[in-house]
Amino acid sequence: MAGTWVGPFSPAWRLLLPVFLLLLLPALVGCKDDVEAGSRPVLKVGGIPDQDAARLARRFQQFTDYLSRELEVEVEYVPSLDYAAVVTAFGRGELQLAFFGGFTGVQARLQAPGAQAIAQREHDAQFHSRFIVRTELAIHSLEDLKAQASRRTLTFGNESSTSGHLMPRHFLRQAGIDPDADFRSLPNFAGSHDLTWQLVESGAFDVGVLNEDVWERAVGDGRVYPSKVREFYTTPAYFDYNWTAGGDLDRIYGDGFTERVQRALLNLNQEEHREILDLFSTERFVTTDNRNYRDLEAVARDLGMIR
């Protein structure tokens, strides 16, 4: 028996064509969506884990939501266990934007040619470290510390921290104090600024040094016991935290994208974004560039922390 021929010019084909098109339409739309999604990769954002993990999670959740709306791309926060992991991830291109300390920003940009520091908090141009001590000890200056160092113990923050290690070590050396030789034992590294003051308060260490923002917030929130720990010295000012953007942002997301990211940071304001700014301990972000961190790089090289 002869079958019914259905070809591209047959009457039956002309009847079935609209049905095939209706069936095919969702797939075609899906392909278009996949292409559009694929052309706009997720922007990966990170930051050094310099304080309480819960605070960092709140900070970056709100920030990435804001940035995603401003840039009209998906933005994802990638948490890291330590400072070095953030620097490594940025150098490998696994992060495209990161909130670094001054020293880690220098390290990251050395590993990622073309990367640019694009914004900093307003007070990062005049940042300080705070030296703290167990309250009952008669230490009120670096001169006192030098005289008593052989009987005392010291904790820094993270080994890669600008305010918790690099610059304090530099200022100790300027005062004639060798942290690796003059104390009762080698210095400890607490890992984060919050833990630094807690270790001194607990009596585990006599002296500590940390980020001024973390110290002032802990004191202001009433979490510090003045009967157990107090500040005794504030360092001279230096440049510190900054937002650094990868050098290939414009290639990946289109011309002008790096400038759009910078503008989004500068547009954060107290009226609309107070909580985000509070979580970054600032009133606003301002522009910066790589030149502001040359002195930090020179200090790090002098101390042998960059070779």
Side-chain angles (χ1 to χ4, degrees), residues 62 66 69-70 264 267-278:
Q62 294 194 37
Y66 163 77
R69 292 192 303 270
E70 290 293 300
N267 285 344
L268 285 163
N269 61 78
Q270 286 292 332
E271 288 72 28
E272 300 175 74
H273 316 110
R274 180 179 298 275
E275 190 167 359
I276 294 175
L277 291 170
D278 286 350

Side-chain angles (χ1 to χ4, degrees), residues 35-45 60-77 96-97 249-258 260-262 264:
V35 169
E36 288 183 351
S39 67
R40 300 170 68 187
V42 176
L43 179 66
K44 301 292 183 68
V45 174
F60 282 101
Q61 180 60 61
Q62 294 194 37
F63 175 74
T64 54
D65 288 347
Y66 163 77
L67 199 62
S68 181
R69 292 192 303 270
E70 290 293 300
L71 301 177
E72 298 180 320
V73 300
E74 184 178 352
V75 182
E76 177 185 341
Y77 168 52
Q96 289 80 47
L97 178 69
L249 281 187
D250 286 6
R251 179 185 62 79
I252 296 173
Y253 298 96
D255 290 344
F257 190 80
T258 303
R260 289 182 60 204
V261 173
Q262 183 184 51

Side-chain angles (χ1 to χ4, degrees), residues 179-195:
D180 297 325
D182 293 348
F183 288 88
R184 196 175 78 197
S185 60
L186 287 171
N188 177 65
F189 291 96
S192 75
H193 299 288
D194 287 304
L195 190 53

Side-chain angles (χ1 to χ4, degrees), residues 182-215:
D182 293 348
F183 288 88
R184 196 175 78 197
S185 60
L186 287 171
N188 177 65
F189 291 96
S192 75
H193 299 288
D194 287 304
L195 190 53
T196 297
W197 68 261
Q198 292 169 18
L199 287 172
V200 176
E201 184 178 80
S202 72
F205 292 90
D206 298 320
V207 177
V209 59
L210 70 158
N211 171 324
E212 66 179 345
D213 286 344
V214 175
W215 173 249

Side-chain angles (χ1 to χ4, degrees), residues 59-224:
R59 167 196 283 183
F60 282 101
Q61 180 60 61
Q62 294 194 37
F63 175 74
T64 54
D65 288 347
Y66 163 77
L67 199 62
S68 181
R69 292 192 303 270
E70 290 293 300
L71 301 177
E72 298 180 320
V73 300
E74 184 178 352
V75 182
E76 177 185 341
Y77 168 52
V78 181
S80 297
L81 293 176
D82 57 42
Y83 287 45
V86 184
V87 172
T88 299
F90 189 87
R92 290 176 176 171
E94 295 166 5
L95 295 174
Q96 289 80 47
L97 178 69
F99 190 57
F100 287 114
F103 176 47
T104 47
V106 168
Q107 290 178 304
R109 291 189 293 275
L110 288 173
Q111 293 187 26
Q116 294 291 322
I118 59 172
Q120 65 180 38
R121 301 173 306 177
E122 193 166 25
H123 66 292
D124 280 316
Q126 294 283 319
F127 205 79
H128 308 85
S129 300
R130 303 295 179 90
F131 277 82
I132 59 174
V133 64
R134 288 196 292 120
T135 297
E136 72 271 18
L137 298 180
I139 295 176
H140 301 279
S141 66
L142 290 186
E143 289 76 16
D144 291 342
L145 180 61
K146 182 178 181 180
Q148 300 184 38
S150 63
R151 307 195 306 275
R152 304 304 174 199
T153 55
L154 168 70
T155 182
F156 289 120
N158 188 285
E159 196 164 3
S160 296
S161 172
T162 308
S163 55
H165 181 218
L166 174 71
M167 295 310 293
R169 179 179 284 272
H170 170 66
F171 293 123
L172 285 172
R173 281 184 46 172
Q174 285 191 332
I177 303 171
D178 183 346
D180 297 325
D182 293 348
F183 288 88
R184 196 175 78 197
S185 60
L186 287 171
N188 177 65
F189 291 96
S192 75
H193 299 288
D194 287 304
L195 190 53
T196 297
W197 68 261
Q198 292 169 18
L199 287 172
V200 176
E201 184 178 80
S202 72
F205 292 90
D206 298 320
V207 177
V209 59
L210 70 158
N211 171 324
E212 66 179 345
D213 286 344
V214 175
W215 173 249
E216 290 175 358
R217 185 170 60 251
V219 172
D221 291 346
R223 292 184 288 131
V224 173

